[in-house]
Amino acid sequence: MTMKALVYTGTQEVEYRDENKPVAGPNQALIEVAATAICGSDMHAYHGLDERRVPPLILGHEVAGKLITGAPHLVGQQVVINPLITCGKCSPCLSGRANLCSDREIIGMRLEGAYAQYLVIDETNLLIPPAALEPWVACLTEPTATALHAVALVERVGYRPLSEQRCLIIGGGAIGLLTALILAAKGCCNIDLAETNALRRNTIEEQAVARVFDPSSEAVPNANGYDVVFDCVGAGVTRAMASEHVVAGGILSHVGLQNSHEGLDIRRITLQEITLLGNYCYTQADMQAALDMLAGDRLGDLKWVQLRPLSEGAQAFSDLHHGRAAAAKIVLQPDHLL
């Protein structure tokens, strides 16, 4: 049997076409996909910059859907997918930090992803959202968990509560905006956000959770620096910006993964005892907490999300590539659900 899928076929190329419908193996679940969001890592692959994602490949890992087979007590229910597959036996897994598992995999990287009508995943990777939660909202659980994980690491090492911190977020994509929304939900009221795309700046300003500015033409609003800087881009220029504007004794949270080269001022980080935090994905606890935040309407009106048919996925990727999308997040849905 076949299904419709959006397939990454080469640099800046994705194709909507027929693919073989996946078959669930032992202890796996077959999911009918209801919504899959486009992640920055999918764009990284689209640009031909991720050697781990080799075309042809179905990308996509931010997903919600309905259980068709597997986990008999859940058949027919709406589910959210934890796309991170881990061994469950190593020290990080057993200590609750499965995101650091040395055998970790994530769908849409080497394994087929969720820009498709159907998806297969281990039964242990299922979360159950409230029945009333729309799938396009539920699929935001994964990026929300990524931002929540970054904020949680800062909370763990910070000297003062977040509500007292001056925070700078670099990058106004979904992770950057979600970080701002989570900080605001935790009582932080001094948040600045740097974003070069004017369309996205307008979208973020409508959320009224941060002072938004263009770092390519404007100085940072707080000339005295920031207690916490979240680099949600992860490029040389943004690492340099983060290194410059974090205060002595502050925290630099490196979340983005655009490249791994220049930018960090290691000498300053050392001499001024700046804490550098790496962030990778999330734990199962982060996923559940993120789902709870979304279900509890704690992250605003979500008007920064745009829904598009899966068949128009190539245009969505192109719009993101050319900076034509005002939405911080585009969610693709199988055509028959729209």
Side-chain angles (χ1 to χ4, degrees):
M1 295 181 64
T2 62
M3 64 177 181
K4 290 295 185 182
L6 187 70
V7 183
Y8 164 52
T9 55
T11 301
Q12 297 181 33
E13 294 179 356
V14 289
E15 181 181 341
Y16 184 66
R17 68 191 194 189
D18 289 329
E19 288 287 307
N20 290 328
K21 181 179 175 180
V23 176
N27 303 314
Q28 288 190 318
L30 176 67
I31 308 300
E32 183 179 15
V33 174
T36 310
I38 298 178
C39 175
S41 63
D42 297 321
M43 293 303 301
H44 205 53
Y46 179 76
H47 293 142
L49 299 174
D50 190 342
E51 68 279 359
R52 302 168 300 177
R53 291 175 165 92
V54 179
L57 178 68
I58 301 173
L59 300 170
H61 58 271
E62 302 175 0
V63 54
K66 182 171 71 175
L67 186 68
I68 303 301
T69 64
H73 63 294
L74 299 177
V75 170
Q77 287 198 36
Q78 298 297 318
V79 294
V80 170
I81 305 303
N82 180 344
L84 193 63
I85 300 168
T86 57
C87 75
K89 301 175 182 178
C90 66
S91 177
C93 284
L94 294 175
S95 64
R97 299 179 296 165
N99 59 312
L100 303 181
C101 175
S102 60
D103 291 327
R104 68 196 179 202
E105 288 282 357
I106 192 166
I107 61 172
M109 184 177 292
R110 281 178 281 265
L111 305 174
E112 297 289 6
Y115 295 142
Q117 288 179 288
Y118 295 94
L119 166 73
V120 163
I121 193 77
D122 292 351
E123 293 176 353
T124 53
N125 286 65
L126 305 178
L127 290 86
I128 309 303
L133 194 65
E134 293 281 355
W136 70 266
V137 178
C139 83
L140 302 177
T141 300
E142 197 272 355
T144 302
T146 299
L148 188 61
H149 182 73
V151 172
L153 290 182
V154 168
E155 287 181 298
R156 189 176 69 189
V157 303
Y159 282 95
R160 302 295 300 171
L162 276 175
S163 58
E164 300 175 11
Q165 303 295 308
R166 299 163 296 173
C167 296
L168 172 64
I169 299 167
I170 304 173
I175 301 301
L177 177 52
L178 282 164
T179 299
L181 290 166
I182 291 167
L183 289 171
K186 289 177 174 288
C188 186
C189 56
N190 194 339
I191 307 169
D192 294 334
L193 194 152
E195 170 56 49
T196 57
N197 184 294
L199 294 175
R200 279 191 175 173
R201 287 200 303 275
N202 291 337
T203 298
I204 296 165
E205 285 171 350
E206 292 173 357
Q207 294 298 306
V209 292
R211 293 182 295 182
V212 187
F213 68 101
D214 181 357
S216 66
S217 61
E218 301 175 73
V220 296
N222 192 336
N224 294 321
Y226 297 87
D227 303 298
V228 185
V229 178
F230 294 89
D231 181 355
C232 296
V233 179
V237 64
T238 56
R239 282 189 290 273
M241 181 180 180
S243 295
E244 179 182 356
H245 293 294
V246 63
V247 299
I251 301 170
L252 196 168
S253 174
H254 196 273
V255 186
L257 286 169
Q258 190 172 109
N259 62 45
S260 57
H261 305 302
E262 72 286 341
L264 282 180
D265 186 344
I266 293 298
R267 181 176 175 81
R268 178 167 187 264
I269 287 171
T270 301
L271 294 177
Q272 298 195 344
E273 292 192 357
I274 293 164
T275 299
L276 175 62
L277 292 174
N279 301 266
Y280 183 73
C281 284
Y282 34 75
T283 65
Q284 185 76 356
D286 294 322
M287 285 288 290
Q288 186 61 58
L291 181 56
D292 292 343
M293 291 191 84
L294 289 164
D297 294 325
R298 296 179 59 199
L299 298 177
D301 58 22
L302 303 182
K303 290 182 179 179
W304 44 273
V305 180
Q306 184 182 79
L307 306 183
R308 298 196 191 186
L310 183 64
S311 62
E312 298 178 11
Q315 186 63 54
F317 271 82
S318 178
D319 287 345
L320 289 167
H321 169 68
H322 291 287
R324 295 190 296 252
K329 178 66 72 176
I330 295 178
V331 173
L332 302 178
Q333 295 187 284
D335 290 47
H336 70 279
L337 297 179
L338 290 172

